[in-house]
Amino acid sequence: MSFARFRSASLCLARFPCDRADREETGDSGTNLRSAYHRAPRPRARPRDGARVAVFRHGEMPLGRVGCGALQSVLPAPALPRPRLLEITWPIFSENLLHMLVGVFGVWLVSRLSDEAAAAYGLSNQIMLTFMITFRFVSVGASVVVTQYLGARDRAGAEQVARASLAANLWLGVFSFAVIAIGARPLLELMRLPPSLFPIAEPYLIAVGVMLAFDAVNFSMGSVLRAHTYTRDTLRLIVVMYVVQLALSLPLMFGVAGAPGLGMMGLALAAVVGRALSFWMHRQLWISRLGIRPTFEDFWRIRPDRLREMLHIGLPGAGENVVYRISFMIILAMVANMGQTALTTHTYTMQIMHFLLLFGMAIGFGTEIVVGHHIGAGDLQGADRLVRGGLAIGFCVCVSLVLATALLGPHLLGLFSRDPEVIATGSRLLWLTLLVEPGRTLNLVVINGLRATGDARFPVGFGVFSMFAVAVGLSWLLGVHLGWGLAGVWVAYAADEWVRGLVMAARWHFLGWVPHARRTFRRVRLSSRPA
């Protein structure tokens, strides 16, 4: 038998995981498993023996004990089609693009005050972003686990996870605000901010620290909405939030009708108001779209069982981001030692690459959502096809965007600098980005797919090795020791992305994720059975 036929047969068998331990634990013979989990159940099927029919996320099926265990949903849900990748991806891409554009506009607004204010603003935001990484521990895990329960048509389990994510992230947000409020000055000293900028940065940092409590809850609520495939609603919400925030920023910063402006404090107040409005809109969407009305208890009560499920996925996922950030900072220190021109070129080129990264991130997050639905439904073949289709789309779009950017490189870099050396070196780096971004897209799609199956620890474990041994190691060897400069650093970036990407692709292709998908399916199924 060829490997392709063996692989297809393995996925067919793995689609409905059922063994003796499952049957003994659930008390079911497993004879109805295949019919219960058929990929396209008839939406108008007549109930047997007068049984009630509940309308679920992806179709209809009778309530009761089905399959290799008692998989029972206790709440009705609207009949909606199985989520499609591109329908989910484009709102996520638009949302990420909007976040980045508003950030750039914020820098421009602050620069109108003074260069010193812009420096304080940029460094304070780096501190804020560091704290926001902790919110991903819960929000990423909540998104994946909710998709798995929805795929299993267990709306009650999905709701329990959603409610548990609120308290977990709110406590993180309150703790983050407390740390900033108490230790704003030590944090700024740690970041080597010049003492002359403390009077500007410290009040601003404390003011936007209030925003962290709102952002923490908004992260959870937004991830749950996206897991339910309401990505367009979250996009509309973000648009309204930023329109209000920017409309308030101008009069609060620069004054209106003779009233004096508040400078950076005005920008901070506008951000807090925007986040508070976002929280209210998220709550309304939970009520109208999901049928979930958050209670006061949901915001303070920690649910250990559900939190454990979320952290099993979220901790490795967020840990990977932390490791990436550390390795990037080490490489940035090497670039700084190459001279001011090299550091400036690196900074401007990376700003352009951040825009190229947006679609890869969107296709990766979309893959995570849809694969989670497939895994919860026991459809491993569907998950496999989805990841492969996501890679094909990601590669085509990525290569097209990078090629267009490289061709326009001198003009784009000319928006940042008039130094001929910066423009010439940056243009060469953009052509080398043709090696970096396809590998990054491979990473984003496959790693998010692995995480959605429950295989979350292998990517971060190998990622720690690759980011330090390959990215940091080769940056020193090629960029510093051999004197290749920034070209050597870019080759190291590409090598790291491709080494990690190919290893992750091999793990997916050779079905290393299937045992994790089986355990995830079993956990969701057993959690869904009646007590």
Side-chain angles (χ1 to χ4, degrees):
M1 179 185 294
S2 67
F3 176 76
R5 293 181 61 187
F6 171 77
R7 188 175 187 278
S8 178
S10 299
L11 285 175
C12 287
L13 292 174
R15 182 184 175 193
F16 304 107
C18 179
D19 53 28
R20 180 177 299 175
D22 294 334
R23 291 192 291 268
E24 291 176 354
E25 189 168 5
T26 60
D28 194 356
S29 63
T31 56
N32 297 325
L33 187 57
R34 183 173 297 276
S35 61
Y37 283 101
H38 195 276
R39 183 181 304 121
R42 290 179 177 270
R44 302 284 182 185
R46 177 181 297 178
R48 293 182 300 168
D49 302 326
R52 280 191 306 119
V53 174
V55 183
F56 292 94
R57 180 73 184 175
H58 303 311
E60 297 179 354
M61 60 184 300
L63 292 174
R65 297 168 64 85
V66 297
C68 189
L71 179 58
Q72 182 177 16
S73 291
V74 296
L75 291 179
L80 295 175
R82 184 180 294 276
R84 296 183 179 180
L85 182 59
L86 288 181
E87 292 178 356
I88 292 175
T89 297
W90 78 259
I92 297 177
F93 169 78
S94 302
E95 186 177 330
N96 291 336
L97 179 61
L98 187 59
H99 284 308
M100 184 167 290
L101 291 176
V102 170
V104 172
F105 185 70
V107 174
W108 180 82
L109 279 179
V110 175
S111 69
R112 300 303 93 190
L113 297 173
S114 67
D115 291 338
E116 291 78 9
Y121 173 82
L123 193 141
S124 299
N125 279 350
Q126 289 300 313
I127 296 175
M128 298 291 293
L129 291 174
T130 301
F131 279 98
M132 286 182 181
I133 290 177
T134 63
F135 305 155
R136 288 182 57 83
F137 293 168
V138 175
S139 59
V140 170
S143 175
V144 172
V145 177
V146 166
T147 61
Q148 293 166 352
Y149 277 105
L150 291 175
R153 294 161 170 85
D154 180 13
R155 293 295 299 274
E159 179 178 341
Q160 292 171 12
V161 174
R163 291 181 183 274
S165 70
L166 296 178
N169 251 3
L170 179 59
W171 282 113
L172 283 175
V174 171
F175 174 77
S176 300
F177 168 64
V179 171
I180 288 179
I182 297 172
R185 180 170 289 269
L187 287 171
L188 293 171
E189 291 174 349
L190 183 65
M191 297 295 291
R192 298 293 189 268
L193 183 73
S196 60
L197 299 182
F198 275 29
I200 303 175
E202 188 173 359
Y204 171 79
L205 184 59
I206 294 175
V208 294
V210 178
M211 187 179 70
L212 287 177
F214 287 110
D215 269 337
V217 180
N218 291 338
F219 273 34
S220 287
M221 289 184 143
S223 65
V224 171
L225 284 167
R226 282 186 285 270
H228 283 80
T229 70
Y230 292 118
T231 53
R232 296 186 185 184
D233 291 286
T234 58
L235 174 60
R236 296 187 189 103
L237 184 153
I238 294 298
V239 170
V240 173
M241 180 193 75
Y242 278 135
V243 167
V244 172
Q245 178 178 327
L246 294 178
L248 291 175
S249 297
L250 294 174
L252 288 175
M253 288 181 67
F254 302 105
V256 63
L262 301 176
M264 285 182 60
M265 285 299 296
L267 182 62
L269 291 176
V272 172
V273 172
R275 291 331 192 263
L277 174 64
S278 175
F279 167 72
W280 180 82
M281 291 188 293
H282 272 112
R283 183 179 180 277
Q284 295 305 114
L285 283 176
W286 270 40
I287 295 172
S288 62
R289 297 298 194 193
L290 311 183
I292 302 176
R293 184 179 294 273
T295 64
F296 178 75
E297 182 184 19
D298 293 330
F299 291 100
W300 66 265
R301 180 188 170 194
I302 299 294
R303 296 172 170 86
D305 292 340
R306 297 304 184 184
L307 181 61
R308 192 177 301 112
E309 289 184 80
M310 292 184 285
L311 293 183
H312 174 75
I313 302 295
L315 277 177
E320 183 184 5
N321 290 331
V322 172
V323 173
Y324 180 85
R325 189 175 182 85
I326 293 173
S327 66
F328 179 78
M329 296 301 292
I330 295 174
I331 295 173
L332 191 60
M334 297 181 193
V335 173
N337 288 330
M338 296 177 186
Q340 181 178 347
T341 301
L343 182 60
T344 302
T345 305
H346 183 278
T347 300
Y348 292 155
T349 308
M350 289 301 296
Q351 289 299 315
I352 297 174
M353 288 180 65
H354 287 160
F355 283 94
L356 297 175
L357 176 63
L358 293 179
F359 185 81
M361 291 175 58
I363 198 76
F365 288 144
T367 298
E368 183 178 87
I369 292 171
V370 184
V371 168
H373 280 268
H374 281 287
I375 296 302
D379 185 5
L380 304 194
Q381 287 183 317
D384 183 55
R385 288 193 299 269
L386 192 282
V387 169
R388 294 172 180 275
L391 281 175
I393 296 171
F395 279 140
C396 291
V397 175
C398 169
V399 171
S400 301
L401 288 176
V402 176
L403 186 60
T405 303
L407 291 172
L408 296 173
H411 303 286
L412 295 174
L413 289 164
L415 299 175
F416 296 94
S417 175
R418 299 184 182 277
D419 187 335
E421 184 179 355
V422 170
I423 295 175
T425 305
S427 298
R428 289 193 293 269
L429 295 180
L430 288 176
W431 282 106
L432 287 176
T433 303
L434 277 169
L435 301 176
V436 179
E437 290 305 319
R440 197 195 306 270
T441 300
L442 177 62
N443 258 313
L444 290 169
V445 173
V446 180
I447 288 179
N448 280 277
L450 290 171
R451 187 182 300 135
T453 69
D455 188 5
R457 296 183 180 179
F458 179 80
V460 68
F462 186 82
V464 171
F465 163 77
S466 180
M467 290 176 200
F468 286 105
V470 180
V472 175
L474 282 181
S475 292
W476 174 84
L477 178 64
L478 301 178
V480 178
H481 184 68
L482 297 181
W484 291 15
L486 288 177
V489 172
W490 249 249
V491 171
Y493 286 154
D496 169 52
E497 297 292 351
W498 278 104
V499 167
R500 281 191 292 136
L502 290 175
V503 170
M504 299 304 133
R507 186 170 180 83
W508 185 271
H509 181 73
F510 293 104
L511 308 181
W513 53 277
V514 168
H516 299 273
R518 287 172 57 102
R519 284 194 290 270
T520 297
F521 181 75
R522 184 183 299 116
R523 170 182 55 78
V524 172
R525 187 177 67 233
L526 295 179
S527 298
S528 304
R529 67 175 180 171

